[in-house]
Amino acid sequence: MKFTILTLFPKMIEGYFNESILKRAKEKGIIEIKIVNIRDYTKDKYFRTDTPPVGGGAGLIMKCQPIIDALKANSNDKTYKIIMSPRGRTFNQKIANEFKDKYEDILILCGHYEGIDERVYSFFDEEISIGDYILTGGEAASIIIVDSVSRLINGVIKEESIEEETFNNNLLEYPQYTEPFEYEGKTVPNILYSGNHEAIKKRRKKESLRLTKSKRPDLFSNLSLSKTDIKLLNEIEENIIGDWETKAIEKGKKFTK
């Protein structure tokens, strides 16, 4: 999958994609990330890409010509063209999956300064927002889009990691632990040492339900609950450990002796 980012500040983006998982994905040829400096396309004799708004007002506005020329030079009929903008759809996991499934070539324009000449928008397919807050530019937002979509592509990370992550099926991810067993009075749940993978899976589902209901009731309200989910929620409400968990722990202790 190919991603192209149009920006006035390439160095704000380059470092992020040269580390860790996405660097390895690039080296394997799973994804391609091209960062284009809009300044390279300006025809202004002073190499300007922005100007005060017509009619007056605060700040500077990004000009049409460099953006459109950069767009035309780095896209084709199959490229899905996105502007990072507060006017667009709010990005979420569902949209990330949508982009992964529908497009092989995505181009993202990063705004900066006070805004973009309004005429630019007609050359793009969609506007996308990452939330109701203000950034100095679209560079950080473009990184979020590319990262979120890339990790869904086969081969970038392990498939089982994606299946159990937060926001899949409207559930927050269950708590995770490392050794040692005890640290400053806090311990790892005994069920995780039981060796009973079904019981561990059930316990993790229970904790995902607990966390989602407590911390993200908006997500919880959209859940489609199974009979098992309802039983686990009853255990949460009554603050009890289920017989299935107790038995798995006891059997695990015998197994390890």
Side-chain angles (χ1 to χ4, degrees):
M1 189 170 189
K2 180 180 180 181
F3 298 92
T4 303
I5 302 174
L6 306 186
T7 174
L8 292 173
F9 301 96
K11 290 183 179 179
M12 291 180 67
I13 301 172
E14 289 168 352
Y16 187 88
F17 297 119
N18 288 323
E19 300 288 344
S20 189
I21 293 170
L22 296 187
K23 178 185 178 183
R24 293 194 293 271
K26 287 197 304 176
E27 290 172 346
K28 292 177 182 177
I30 300 172
I31 60 172
E32 177 185 350
I33 300 173
K34 183 179 182 181
I35 302 172
V36 176
N37 191 338
I38 297 170
R39 296 182 193 278
D40 292 341
Y41 293 86
T42 183
K43 295 178 180 178
D44 186 282
K45 65 179 181 180
Y46 299 109
F47 299 101
R48 290 175 299 198
T49 57
D50 49 83
T51 186
V54 175
L60 298 170
I61 304 298
M62 292 175 67
K63 299 169 67 175
C64 287
Q65 177 273 313
I67 294 174
I68 302 309
D69 282 3
L71 174 67
K72 290 179 177 179
N74 293 280
S75 64
N76 55 54
D77 292 341
K78 295 183 178 179
T79 305
Y80 193 66
K81 307 169 188 72
I82 298 168
I83 294 183
M84 302 311 306
S85 165
R87 305 191 305 202
R89 284 194 293 168
T90 302
F91 189 73
N92 56 27
Q93 192 67 20
K94 182 179 179 180
I95 297 174
N97 276 286
E98 174 191 324
F99 287 173
K100 185 264 296 184
D101 292 336
K102 292 178 67 175
Y103 309 113
E104 287 294 328
D105 185 357
I106 293 177
L107 180 145
I108 304 172
L109 170 62
C110 303
H112 218 89
Y113 306 122
E114 195 65 26
I116 300 169
D117 188 306
E118 185 67 25
R119 293 167 292 183
V120 167
Y121 287 85
S122 63
F123 290 84
F124 285 78
D125 298 304
E126 181 172 11
E127 299 165 53
I128 289 288
S129 168
I130 61 165
D132 295 339
Y133 46 87
I134 300 171
L135 299 172
T136 56
E139 284 75 20
S142 72
I143 289 172
I144 289 171
I145 303 295
V146 175
D147 187 311
S148 182
V149 176
S150 293
R151 63 196 319 283
L152 297 173
I153 299 169
N154 186 37
V156 175
I157 62 175
K158 292 181 180 179
E159 186 175 349
E160 57 267 30
S161 295
I162 295 174
E163 290 175 353
E164 297 182 348
E165 286 182 328
T166 293
F167 300 124
N168 281 332
N169 302 315
N170 287 317
L171 276 175
L172 297 180
E173 189 174 7
Y174 51 80
Q176 301 272 28
Y177 299 88
T178 62
E179 297 288 356
F181 170 72
E182 187 274 335
Y183 185 77
E184 295 202 357
K186 298 184 183 297
T187 59
V188 177
N190 287 316
I191 186 69
L192 300 181
Y193 291 100
S194 70
N196 187 325
H197 297 295
E198 285 301 314
I200 290 171
K201 184 177 180 180
K202 192 172 182 179
R203 172 56 152 65
R204 286 172 168 168
K205 181 64 176 295
K206 180 178 178 178
E207 291 307 303
S208 286
L209 288 166
R210 185 198 304 275
L211 282 173
T212 306
K213 185 176 182 181
S214 170
K215 297 183 179 296
R216 290 296 304 271
D218 57 319
L219 294 177
F220 186 82
S221 64
N222 292 320
L223 287 176
S224 178
L225 299 172
S226 67
K227 291 181 179 179
T228 300
D229 293 340
I230 293 171
K231 289 180 180 178
L232 293 175
L233 285 167
N234 287 337
E235 291 179 8
I236 293 169
E237 290 295 326
E238 296 173 16
N239 195 28
I240 61 173
I241 298 174
D243 289 341
W244 57 272
E245 186 171 350
T246 302
K247 290 177 181 178
I249 292 170
E250 290 304 315
K251 189 174 182 179
K253 287 179 180 178
K254 293 177 182 178
F255 180 77
T256 56
K257 286 180 180 179

